[in-house]
PDB file of all heavy atoms in Angstrom:
ATOM      1  N   ARG A  94     171.457  39.390  92.611  1.00  0.00           N
ATOM      2  CA  ARG A  94     170.282  38.727  92.082  1.00  0.00           C
ATOM      3  C   ARG A  94     169.513  39.637  91.126  1.00  0.00           C
ATOM      4  O   ARG A  94     168.743  39.185  90.322  1.00  0.00           O
ATOM      5  CB  ARG A  94     169.396  38.227  93.234  1.00  0.00           C
ATOM      6  CG  ARG A  94     170.000  37.012  93.916  1.00  0.00           C
ATOM      7  CD  ARG A  94     169.198  36.562  95.086  1.00  0.00           C
ATOM      8  NE  ARG A  94     169.722  35.310  95.616  1.00  0.00           N
ATOM      9  CZ  ARG A  94     169.817  34.984  96.891  1.00  0.00           C
ATOM     10  NH1 ARG A  94     169.423  35.868  97.812  1.00  0.00           N
ATOM     11  NH2 ARG A  94     170.302  33.828  97.297  1.00  0.00           N
ATOM     12  N   GLU A 143     167.852  28.362 103.819  1.00  0.00           N
ATOM     13  CA  GLU A 143     166.921  27.435 103.255  1.00  0.00           C
ATOM     14  C   GLU A 143     167.490  26.874 101.958  1.00  0.00           C
ATOM     15  O   GLU A 143     167.947  27.622 101.094  1.00  0.00           O
ATOM     16  CB  GLU A 143     165.568  28.150 102.985  1.00  0.00           C
ATOM     17  CG  GLU A 143     164.505  27.241 102.415  1.00  0.00           C
ATOM     18  CD  GLU A 143     163.218  27.971 102.167  1.00  0.00           C
ATOM     19  OE1 GLU A 143     163.089  29.110 102.629  1.00  0.00           O
ATOM     20  OE2 GLU A 143     162.342  27.418 101.489  1.00  0.00           O
ATOM     21  N   ALA A 144     167.448  25.583 101.802  1.00  0.00           N
ATOM     22  CA  ALA A 144     167.996  24.948 100.591  1.00  0.00           C
ATOM     23  C   ALA A 144     167.193  25.386  99.370  1.00  0.00           C
ATOM     24  O   ALA A 144     165.973  25.464  99.416  1.00  0.00           O
ATOM     25  CB  ALA A 144     167.969  23.447 100.731  1.00  0.00           C
ATOM     26  N   LYS A 145     167.877  25.621  98.304  1.00  0.00           N
ATOM     27  CA  LYS A 145     167.218  26.047  97.088  1.00  0.00           C
ATOM     28  C   LYS A 145     167.190  24.872  96.093  1.00  0.00           C
ATOM     29  O   LYS A 145     168.176  24.199  95.904  1.00  0.00           O
ATOM     30  CB  LYS A 145     167.994  27.221  96.463  1.00  0.00           C
ATOM     31  CG  LYS A 145     167.345  27.786  95.188  1.00  0.00           C
ATOM     32  CD  LYS A 145     168.076  29.013  94.741  1.00  0.00           C
ATOM     33  CE  LYS A 145     167.467  29.580  93.469  1.00  0.00           C
ATOM     34  NZ  LYS A 145     168.108  30.834  93.039  1.00  0.00           N
ATOM     35  N   ALA A 146     166.059  24.667  95.522  1.00  0.00           N
ATOM     36  CA  ALA A 146     165.897  23.562  94.565  1.00  0.00           C
ATOM     37  C   ALA A 146     166.690  23.843  93.301  1.00  0.00           C
ATOM     38  O   ALA A 146     166.720  24.976  92.787  1.00  0.00           O
ATOM     39  CB  ALA A 146     164.412  23.358  94.228  1.00  0.00           C
ATOM     40  N   ALA A 147     167.317  22.805  92.782  1.00  0.00           N
ATOM     41  CA  ALA A 147     168.090  22.965  91.559  1.00  0.00           C
ATOM     42  C   ALA A 147     167.159  23.154  90.383  1.00  0.00           C
ATOM     43  O   ALA A 147     166.161  22.446  90.255  1.00  0.00           O
ATOM     44  CB  ALA A 147     168.966  21.738  91.331  1.00  0.00           C
ATOM     45  N   LEU A 207     174.413  30.943  92.319  1.00  0.00           N
ATOM     46  CA  LEU A 207     173.620  29.721  92.173  1.00  0.00           C
ATOM     47  C   LEU A 207     174.459  28.492  92.515  1.00  0.00           C
ATOM     48  O   LEU A 207     174.006  27.600  93.238  1.00  0.00           O
ATOM     49  CB  LEU A 207     173.109  29.615  90.736  1.00  0.00           C
ATOM     50  CG  LEU A 207     172.293  28.301  90.422  1.00  0.00           C
ATOM     51  CD1 LEU A 207     171.029  28.276  91.246  1.00  0.00           C
ATOM     52  CD2 LEU A 207     171.982  28.234  88.916  1.00  0.00           C
ATOM     53  N   GLU A 210     174.780  28.274  96.206  1.00  0.00           N
ATOM     54  CA  GLU A 210     173.513  27.892  96.869  1.00  0.00           C
ATOM     55  C   GLU A 210     173.202  26.409  96.673  1.00  0.00           C
ATOM     56  O   GLU A 210     172.627  25.780  97.568  1.00  0.00           O
ATOM     57  CB  GLU A 210     172.348  28.712  96.270  1.00  0.00           C
ATOM     58  CG  GLU A 210     172.389  30.194  96.675  1.00  0.00           C
ATOM     59  CD  GLU A 210     171.195  30.957  96.159  1.00  0.00           C
ATOM     60  OE1 GLU A 210     170.727  30.644  95.048  1.00  0.00           O
ATOM     61  OE2 GLU A 210     170.739  31.867  96.869  1.00  0.00           O
ATOM     62  N   LEU A 211     173.593  25.866  95.542  1.00  0.00           N
ATOM     63  CA  LEU A 211     173.300  24.449  95.247  1.00  0.00           C
ATOM     64  C   LEU A 211     174.429  23.512  95.722  1.00  0.00           C
ATOM     65  O   LEU A 211     174.328  22.278  95.614  1.00  0.00           O
ATOM     66  CB  LEU A 211     173.058  24.253  93.767  1.00  0.00           C
ATOM     67  CG  LEU A 211     171.882  25.027  93.147  1.00  0.00           C
ATOM     68  CD1 LEU A 211     171.763  24.749  91.679  1.00  0.00           C
ATOM     69  CD2 LEU A 211     170.601  24.648  93.880  1.00  0.00           C
TER      70      LEU A 211
END
Side-chain angles (χ1 to χ4, degrees):
R94 286 176 174 142
E143 181 180 349
K145 182 174 180 177
L207 177 65
E210 289 183 325
L211 299 179

